[in-house]
Every structure is written in C-alpha cells, then in structure tokens.
C-alpha cells in the first residue's frame, strides 16, 4: 500500500482568501477589535495552531488554552461561511487524479497532511467536492500540533498504530505539498516529497535547504503518468 499525504491550500485547492477573511472576522468577533489584524509573516506552511497562538499572544500578551480554543472555534465557524462566499478553485488536474486513483489503484490511499484543523480540512475538501477521495482517520491536522513536523509524525503514528505500515516502511508515504514546510515535514519522518508549484508562492530554489524527491510545475495531465512517477524507484 502507498499513502499519499496531501497538503490542502496551494496544493489541492485555492480558496481565494476564504481562510484569511474568516480569521479576520474571528479575531474581530472574539477580541472585539476594530482594525484588521496584521500578520508578521506569510501563513503558507503554518499550522492553524501556531497561527492562533501567535495572534492570541500578540493581542493578549500570553496565550491560554481557553483563548486559543475559543478563537479557533470562531475561526472554524467563519471559515464554513466564507468558503461558500469566496470563488476559489481546485488546482489543475487534482480531481481527475484523485478519481483515477480511486477507480484504478486500490493499493493507493489518499490522506491529508495539512496545517488546517481537522474540521477546517474536512470543510474545505467538502466544499470543493473532493472529500470522498480521502481517508480522514489517518490524516495529520493543524489542531493536533503547532509544528508541521509533529503533524507529520502524528500521521505516521496513526498508520503505525493501525498496522498499516511498519517502522521501516516510511518510503510508503509520499507527501505532496507546495511549501518548504511540506518538504521538511516529509524529511522528518523519512518520507518522500513531491512539491507542486502551480499554487505555490515559492520557487524551486527556495527548496535548497531540504530538497524534495520531485518538483513539478503542476500535476501531470494524464493521471496514469502521475501513477508511473509515484511507483518508480526511489
């Protein structure tokens, strides 16, 4: 069995800032702020847990579990609303690739490895019509850990616990993402990584610190070619 661990934003789909607007609304609602919150760095590759902690600490001076949980719940509420309002889209060749795998490759399972929360991840792939292609139970999500490497280790551990892979079978996991964080979290568990640049804000040279297995401009037009690329020797 081969496990494909997909990032969501910039890899599977783009929401046209639905998440960003939902976060701004959540901050305003939860902390009664009037001005938009100004982030100090890109959110690409970050987990929702780390983003929430940074916001709460910045606004309140420290971060309690209660404040973080409250803001996260508000965010998930507004995210669901904003996903319906914003005109985002799936990335090129995503749906036909997922459908091809489901129909032709029973030895390949699609998982999610994302900075999104468990609920946020499910809401996004549901809104864009691709939820049916994923095994949600064994995914890694951004409400489970602040660091992306730890999220990857959670996914790996879930597969181990259920006996789906063995300790020395990390080559059966392929992380598919669009940021250096995706490449680094794959390396943290000894998995291969494919970077797809179609929805990324990064360039190939930005991955020099942790080179992925492959870098593509976009998913192949022919899903059969995608499968051939996955199953070639490491």
């Amino acid at each position: 069995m081969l496990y494909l661990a997909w990032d969501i934003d910039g890899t599977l789909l783009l929401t046209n800032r639905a998440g960003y607007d939902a976060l701004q609304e959540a901050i305003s609602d939860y902390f009664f702020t009037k001005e938009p919150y100004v982030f100090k760095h890109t959110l690409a590759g970050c987990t929702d847990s780390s983003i929430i902690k940074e916001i709460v600490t910045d606004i309140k001076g420290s971060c309690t579990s209660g404040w973080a949980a409250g803001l996260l719940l508000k965010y998930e509420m507004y995210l669901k609303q904003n996903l319906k309002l914003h005109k985002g889209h799936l990335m090129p060749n995503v749906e036909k690739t997922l459908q091809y795998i489901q129909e032709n490759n029973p030895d390949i399972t699609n998982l999610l490895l994302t900075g999104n929360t468990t609920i946020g991840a499910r809401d996004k792939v549901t809104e864009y019509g691709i939820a049916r292609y994923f095994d949600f139970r064994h995914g890694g999500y951004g409400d489970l850990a602040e660091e992306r490497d730890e999220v990857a280790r959670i996914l790996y551990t879930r597969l181990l616990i259920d006996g789906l892979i063995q300790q020395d079978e990390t080559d059966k996991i392929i992380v598919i993402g669009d940021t250096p964080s995706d490449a680094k979290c794959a390396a943290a568990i000894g998995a291969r990584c494919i970077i797809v640049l179609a929805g990324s804000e990064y360039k190939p040279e930005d991955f020099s610190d942790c080179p992925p297995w492959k870098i593509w401009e976009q998913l192949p037009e022919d899903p059969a070619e995608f499968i051939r690329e996955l199953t070639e020797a490491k």
Side-chain angles (χ1 to χ4, degrees), residues 127-148:
E127 180 65 29
Y128 287 86
I130 56 174
R132 64 188 181 276
Y133 299 117
F134 294 96
D135 166 11
F136 290 97
R137 171 180 168 81
H138 297 102
Y141 307 97
D143 53 341
L144 303 177
E146 290 180 30
E147 297 300 324
R148 196 64 172 256

Side-chain angles (χ1 to χ4, degrees), residues 18 26 49 67 115 118 128 172 199:
S49 291
W67 284 334
T118 307
Y128 287 86
K172 290 187 176 181

Side-chain angles (χ1 to χ4, degrees), residues 193-223:
C193 178
I194 297 173
I195 293 297
V196 184
L197 297 175
S200 180
E201 61 184 56
Y202 295 93
K203 298 179 174 60
E205 54 267 29
D206 295 324
F207 296 87
S208 58
D209 288 347
C210 187
W213 180 44
K214 298 176 184 288
I215 298 181
W216 296 341
E217 287 300 319
Q218 65 177 36
L219 292 179
E221 288 282 346
D222 181 1

Side-chain angles (χ1 to χ4, degrees), residues 58-99:
D58 198 23
I59 292 174
K60 302 293 289 185
S62 62
C63 182
T64 67
S65 58
W67 284 334
L71 181 57
L72 201 57
L73 287 171
K74 286 284 187 180
Y75 165 68
E76 289 175 336
M77 179 184 74
Y78 283 114
L79 176 63
K80 198 172 185 69
Q81 297 172 8
N82 275 274
L83 285 171
K84 297 187 178 301
L85 295 173
H86 289 65
K87 301 297 182 183
H89 59 84
L90 292 174
M91 297 308 299
N93 306 319
V94 161
E95 185 161 19
K96 67 179 180 180
T97 299
L98 295 173
Q99 182 177 357

